[in-house]
Amino acid sequence: QVRLVQSGGGLVQSGESLTLSCAAFGLTMDNYATGWFRQVAGKEREGVACIFKNSDATHYAESVKGRFTISRDNAKNIAYLQMNNLKPEDTNVYYCSTDCEGRVGLVSQGTQVTVSP
């Protein structure tokens, strides 16, 4: 079955770090872009980070630039989002996808990230 399975997330305090993982099954992740986006139901989606297909080129939202790092281990077919110096405004539900903002590609189940002040 073709799917993305996400892990990580949880509750941390402001300034702490978290790593999200996204494992791909039934597809070769490097053949697609890998994106992380965040969205709470009823609110606007924000693309957080993206790594492009067959490339190490990356793109970040201004709100996370310098704090978040996206990476992809092609041998393991897993992507990561390393989130440092987390802020309360980073609190959201995070998803990974096979496109940069999850609008046309496969999307993971999502996990909650909560940052307390």
Side-chain angles (χ1 to χ4, degrees), residues 2-4 10 15 30 42 46 54 60 62 65 70 73-74 78 88 92-93 96 99 102 105-106 111 113-115:
V2 180
R3 66 191 190 279
L4 298 176
D30 193 39
E46 180 186 16
N54 304 132
Y60 295 94
E62 285 298 321
K65 199 172 288 185
I70 187 173
D73 186 331
N74 293 327
I78 299 176
N92 220 313
V93 180
C96 64
D99 68 287
L106 197 61
T111 53
V113 172
T114 303
V115 185

Side-chain angles (χ1 to χ4, degrees), residues 25-80:
F25 298 90
L27 62 94
T28 299
M29 192 173 261
D30 193 39
N31 289 340
Y32 304 84
T34 302
W36 291 93
F37 67 94
R38 56 193 184 188
Q39 184 177 30
V40 174
K43 295 196 175 180
E44 189 172 344
R45 177 177 305 189
E46 180 186 16
V48 171
C50 191
I51 186 166
F52 299 102
K53 65 180 281 188
N54 304 132
S55 172
D56 292 330
T58 57
H59 175 78
Y60 295 94
E62 285 298 321
S63 58
V64 306
K65 199 172 288 185
R67 299 187 298 121
F68 289 15
T69 302
I70 187 173
S71 62
R72 185 170 58 204
D73 186 331
N74 293 327
K76 295 181 178 179
N77 224 22
I78 299 176
Y80 303 94

